[in-house]
Amino acid sequence: MSKPKIRLSITTRLDTTRWEFGKQVLEAFCETDPRLVPEYFDNVEAIKKQFNGIAACEEYWAPEVVMDAGSYGRTFTKWNSMWRRVKAVKSRGEMHHTLVNQRGQLHLGWLTFDADGDRKVDWAGLFHRLCVLAQPKFATLHLFTDIETRRGAFGTAVETDIAADDFVTGPHGMTLEKRGIPNLAWATFFGEDYAAEVDMQKLCAQGFEVEAIGQGFLVTLTPKLFDVVENFALLSARRTMLKKLFRPGLFGLAEEPAAVPPTT
């Protein structure tokens, strides 16, 4: 079996290109744990530039570039920023910046982060801090194992397969718009657009932890993130129960995977 992996996904309407926002994002990672401090930070996929402190990242956070937009002519846009570590805790982050296109349409910003599932890192605290900062439309924090990432884990129908991929990668703005919420993660933030879906009193009465943050709600399935590894049956049962407290059809994935992946 492969090692458990952290996946953090946050979509936001905020202007992510502002350096003040970028500075606070990087501070959240660096201050949560020294082993989350980037080793490399860049705007291109290779991510080869040495990380020389947060202040030095300003010029690489959202540099402006000129692009040929075809019939719309040349347009100015902001490059995404990326960072990674190759030492423990091995990780990779990327900020897909908020964008307003030539038609005035807003494309949500999307912050993603993947890392080895180290138990000593305060992942829940980091996620909470980023939710307060980003005021997400929707956000998830989950610890993935082979149980949920294997092909066909949630079913073999085409729609189920797509929803499973959306769950594993974390839904970005376009995914949410076209296909909706794929699944509940260990921690799920329902932003302003989805706040009406959350009956805080009903969820708390069933023992779920629900916290109001800004205009949204942060909901967690079990007391510990690593229940995903230590007691997947519990997490699965709690997720099934929680879905029943929401309206039918809100989530793309209806079934739970088997607690133990089949052997081949």
Side-chain angles (χ1 to χ4, degrees):
M1 292 181 66
S2 58
K3 294 181 180 179
K5 296 288 185 179
I6 292 290
R7 178 67 172 182
L8 183 154
S9 171
I10 292 176
T11 59
T12 179
R13 289 189 176 89
L14 296 186
D15 181 2
T16 63
T17 65
R18 293 184 303 108
W19 171 236
E20 182 59 30
F21 178 84
K23 178 173 175 287
Q24 291 181 67
V25 166
L26 294 176
E27 286 174 345
F29 285 96
C30 294
E31 293 173 5
T32 294
D33 194 297
R35 294 169 303 153
L36 297 185
V37 175
E39 289 182 276
Y40 305 95
F41 194 96
D42 211 335
N43 304 109
V44 294
E45 194 62 39
I47 319 179
K48 292 182 176 180
K49 291 186 175 71
Q50 287 287 146
F51 176 80
N52 294 311
I54 292 175
C57 293
E58 181 174 4
E59 65 177 301
Y60 302 112
W61 179 253
E64 192 169 69
V65 295
V66 181
M67 298 184 66
D68 184 355
S71 60
Y72 289 102
R74 294 199 309 168
T75 183
F76 295 90
T77 190
K78 301 284 188 176
W79 266 7
N80 297 330
S81 52
M82 306 168 228
W83 62 96
R84 67 185 176 104
R85 282 183 64 93
V86 295
K87 300 176 183 176
V89 173
K90 187 177 180 180
S91 61
R92 187 186 193 281
E94 184 166 0
M95 184 71 246
H96 306 256
H97 288 301
T98 310
L99 170 68
V100 177
N101 66 19
Q102 293 285 336
R103 299 177 181 177
Q105 299 168 321
L106 173 67
H107 293 268
L108 300 180
W110 187 33
L111 172 63
T112 62
F113 186 75
D114 298 276
D116 290 342
D118 191 292
R119 293 172 181 266
K120 295 180 180 179
V121 175
D122 182 10
W123 300 111
L126 171 63
F127 186 63
H128 184 280
R129 182 169 176 175
L130 290 171
C131 285
V132 172
L133 169 63
Q135 303 171 39
K137 173 177 179 175
F138 187 78
T140 55
L141 169 66
H142 200 70
L143 181 67
F144 284 99
T145 69
D146 291 343
I147 293 175
E148 293 180 294
T149 59
R150 62 187 168 83
R151 183 57 62 190
F154 292 90
T156 57
V158 173
E159 295 82 2
T160 300
D161 204 36
I162 293 172
D165 284 343
D166 290 342
F167 174 47
V168 173
T169 60
H172 53 73
M174 194 72 71
T175 295
L176 292 168
E177 182 180 338
K178 290 185 174 181
R179 297 191 288 272
I181 300 173
N183 203 11
L184 284 164
W186 176 80
T188 305
F189 183 82
F190 297 86
E192 185 176 2
D193 290 13
Y194 302 106
E197 305 283 358
V198 181
D199 186 330
M200 187 173 183
Q201 186 174 0
K202 184 191 295 185
L203 270 59
C204 290
Q206 294 298 320
F208 292 101
E209 184 176 337
V210 184
E211 180 183 356
I213 299 177
Q215 301 300 311
F217 297 96
L218 177 59
V219 183
T220 51
L221 290 174
T222 67
K224 301 181 301 178
L225 173 60
F226 277 83
D227 287 332
V228 176
V229 175
E230 297 167 358
N231 194 347
F232 184 81
L234 169 65
L235 178 125
S236 181
R238 293 293 285 171
R239 183 160 56 192
T240 298
M241 179 186 295
L242 182 54
K243 284 181 180 177
K244 292 178 180 178
L245 302 178
F246 286 88
R247 64 175 171 85
L250 180 61
F251 306 102
L253 294 175
E255 303 297 326
E256 286 291 309
V260 179
T263 56
T264 56

